[in-house]
Amino acid sequence: GEDVEQSLFLSVREGDSSVINCTYTDSSSTYLYWYKQEPGAGLQLLTYIFSNMDMKQDQRLTVLLNKKDKHLSLRIADTQTGDSAIYFCAVADSGNTPLVFGKGTRLSVIA
Amino acid sequence: NAGVTQTPKFRILKIGQSMTLQCTQDMNHNYMYWYRQDPGMGLKLIYYSVGAGITDKGEVPNGYNVSRSTTEDFPLRLELAAPSQTSVYFCASSGLGTDTQYFGPGTRLTVL
């Protein structure tokens, strides 16, 4: 089955850019998502990209997709302390098929 | 629209007890899902449903049962609770043609 891998921790200084990486194994994954989870809270959808796109920008967030390498990244510009959270990469074959999640990357922002 | 609602928010069970986690959506979505999130882990699919009367197993279905008698409701039943079922349970739904799943706030379950 599909496997989604993320690095577990990332620490950045406030104001710097953060880059969170994700790799997946199944080339049929056409919907690729980034979720944010703050402590004790639910999942907040940040952004998503389709596999026929290379890049998507949404304010401070930039998603890059290298479909050949099955590599997805999320860049957060001007990282703030409020961005400290766990970020999950998730993939699916369509908008209605179950999501496969990575284990999440814990982002710590140092003031 | 309330979106996806889950009850209860928190629950503590003793080993061997049973309970039902409730999930309701008011968006007329055909597709509904149950995921569990263990500490320090991502979410894993327990069961999902593509419409009323149709359910299918996910990656971790053992110890759980589901039913889908209406479009709105997708309850998850735990029989004979075990400590390994201590987790946060998320319900989600999606509609035909939607690009994303809508998640409920979660139920935090502890089995002691």
Side-chain angles (χ1 to χ4, degrees):
Chain A
E2 173 72 274
D3 191 27
V4 178
E5 296 286 339
Q6 299 177 240
S7 52
L8 295 182
F9 301 98
L10 177 65
S11 182
V12 299
R13 293 202 176 276
E14 192 174 22
D16 288 350
S17 291
S18 309
V19 179
I20 302 170
N21 295 302
C22 169
T23 58
Y24 58 99
T25 57
D26 192 343
S27 57
S28 69
S29 295
T30 54
Y31 287 63
L32 305 117
Y33 304 88
W34 285 103
Y35 286 87
K36 177 183 179 183
Q37 186 178 43
E38 298 185 29
L43 294 170
Q44 175 191 354
L45 177 65
L46 287 178
T47 186
Y48 61 98
I49 192 170
F50 301 118
S51 60
N52 60 357
M53 300 166 66
D54 296 326
M55 184 183 86
K56 181 179 180 181
Q57 188 154 2
D58 185 359
Q59 298 182 333
R60 291 192 298 124
L61 305 178
T62 302
V63 178
L64 294 178
L65 174 62
N66 181 327
K67 191 177 177 183
K68 174 176 167 290
D69 293 339
K70 301 188 193 67
H71 182 269
L72 185 71
S73 67
L74 174 69
R75 179 177 179 269
I76 306 172
D78 186 26
T79 311
Q80 303 297 308
T81 54
D83 295 323
S84 292
I86 300 176
Y87 291 80
F88 290 98
C89 171
V91 304
D93 291 350
S94 76
N96 296 133
T97 52
L99 295 165
V100 179
F101 284 82
K103 291 181 179 175
T105 299
R106 184 179 296 273
L107 174 64
S108 296
V109 182
I110 305 165
Chain B
N1 284 356
V4 180
T5 56
Q6 293 183 239
T7 57
K9 286 187 170 49
F10 303 94
R11 183 75 185 267
I12 298 175
L13 282 182
K14 294 183 179 178
I15 294 171
Q17 288 184 320
S18 61
M19 75 166 294
T20 299
L21 282 69
Q22 301 292 345
C23 175
T24 300
Q25 52 89 12
D26 62 358
M27 297 172 281
N28 202 32
H29 283 169
N30 289 329
Y31 301 83
M32 296 188 74
Y33 317 82
W34 274 106
Y35 298 89
R36 59 176 283 176
Q37 182 182 24
D38 297 336
M41 302 290 284
L43 280 69
K44 294 187 178 180
L45 182 71
I46 307 171
Y47 271 96
Y48 67 104
S49 168
V50 300
I54 307 170
T55 63
D56 209 347
K57 295 179 181 179
E59 186 183 354
V60 289
N62 291 345
Y64 306 95
N65 281 302
V66 292
S67 59
R68 183 96 183 271
S69 56
T70 66
T71 300
E72 295 77 22
D73 301 304
F74 191 37
L76 178 72
R77 178 85 178 159
L78 278 73
E79 304 282 2
L80 297 174
S84 61
Q85 293 177 304
T86 293
S87 193
V88 181
Y89 292 83
F90 290 100
C91 179
S93 73
S94 64
L96 285 172
T98 61
D99 294 333
T100 65
Q101 293 179 16
Y102 294 78
F103 280 83
T107 294
R108 190 174 297 271
L109 176 67
T110 302
V111 182
L112 300 173

